[in-house]
Amino acid sequence: PEILKPDETSPTIKISLLELFRNRDISVLETMYKALAPNGEAVRIVIIDDLTNAIPKSNDEFGAFPIEFSSEQGKDGWYYKSYLNGTYTDMVFDEASGYWQGDSKYTMITPTYLHPHNHDAALVYKAEKTGRVKITVHCAVSSENSDGISFRILNGKDEIDLAKGEGSLIISYDQPFYKVLEFDVEAGDEIAFIVGKNQTVSNDSTRLAVYVQYE
């Protein structure tokens, strides 16, 4: 096979070892590569070794999903909810299937994906203390047969700006979302990561990785 070598004009992917370790999900590399090099071009990989001095002093200094997925509401600060027209309702954990079931048939949160239906799937993180947070978010649609999903992040009722003033984005299979966000929170603030349908709900399984770090 042809060996591709990146040069100074090649796109660059910067990888944080800390975020990779916390999320335990290397699919972000694949989706970032596909976004930068859809035709298989060479890409430069830059490894950021930020592990050494970044180990949290206690478990209330960070949050990581899906590594902290649980069958218990509120464990490690994570809540699993249905969302419709500004109203949240708690999901119910299905012990036999091992996932959270929402108010609509296909609204669910599993250890590997979120799926919307008539209700959106909302993963909610409750801030454990007052301060500034840095949140790394990776959201990607799993199937190329999906018509995309609607994605937004709410801090309470306030929409977080995801891109150029937009609080809600349509994410497709070939256009995943990856961003590092920083903003202030009060202890008890609820930060919701909401996955909704676009036009249909077919093949809308959505991978979501979230890493929350207190500054």
Side-chain angles (χ1 to χ4, degrees):
E2 180 184 1
I3 298 176
L4 300 178
K5 295 183 179 181
D7 56 33
E8 63 275 4
T9 65
S10 300
T12 300
I13 297 176
K14 294 184 178 181
I15 302 299
S16 161
L17 289 182
L18 178 63
E19 292 165 9
L20 201 62
F21 178 77
R22 291 299 181 199
N23 292 333
R24 295 189 183 180
D25 182 4
I26 64 171
S27 63
V28 62
L29 301 179
E30 179 184 2
T31 53
M32 290 173 69
Y33 172 78
K34 287 180 178 179
L36 289 174
N39 299 314
E41 300 91 341
V43 171
R44 185 192 309 275
I45 306 294
V46 176
I47 303 297
I48 303 171
D49 184 358
D50 52 3
L51 276 174
T52 306
N53 297 318
I55 303 302
K57 297 176 183 177
S58 63
N59 62 4
D60 66 349
E61 293 190 4
F62 73 97
F65 181 88
I67 187 175
E68 292 179 333
F69 178 88
S70 170
S71 60
E72 178 184 341
Q73 288 279 12
K75 183 174 175 56
D76 296 316
W78 298 102
Y79 295 81
Y80 310 85
K81 299 176 181 288
S82 296
Y83 179 83
L84 182 65
N85 298 329
T87 300
Y88 296 94
T89 54
D90 287 346
M91 289 185 173
V92 175
F93 190 74
D94 186 322
E95 294 284 353
S97 301
Y99 62 77
W100 289 91
Q101 176 64 56
D103 289 345
S104 300
K105 183 177 181 180
Y106 299 114
T107 301
M108 60 185 69
I109 298 178
T110 82
T112 52
Y113 65 85
L114 283 70
H115 198 289
H117 193 187
N118 295 329
H119 290 74
D120 297 343
L123 176 70
V124 179
Y125 179 78
K126 182 177 288 188
E128 302 209 8
K129 60 183 181 180
T130 299
R132 191 163 185 82
V133 292
K134 181 171 75 172
I135 300 180
T136 303
V137 184
H138 170 235
C139 183
V141 178
S142 298
S143 173
E144 60 184 343
N145 295 318
S146 170
D147 68 344
I149 59 96
S150 171
F151 181 67
R152 57 180 167 159
I153 302 173
L154 300 180
N155 182 15
K157 295 183 179 180
D158 297 329
E159 282 193 336
I160 300 298
D161 181 6
L162 299 183
K164 298 180 180 178
E166 295 294 329
S168 178
L169 297 177
I170 298 299
I171 297 174
S172 60
Y173 172 75
D174 57 353
Q175 291 184 315
F177 176 80
Y178 178 84
K179 192 167 185 177
V180 178
L181 304 162
E182 292 190 39
F183 51 90
D184 295 321
V185 297
E186 299 287 336
D189 281 356
E190 295 187 344
I191 305 166
F193 305 86
I194 301 175
V195 172
K197 65 180 180 180
N198 184 12
Q199 299 297 320
T200 73
V201 298
S202 298
N203 301 293
D204 276 357
S205 296
T206 302
R207 297 193 304 273
L208 180 66
V210 180
Y211 176 58
V212 182
Q213 183 178 11
Y214 292 90
E215 297 291 290

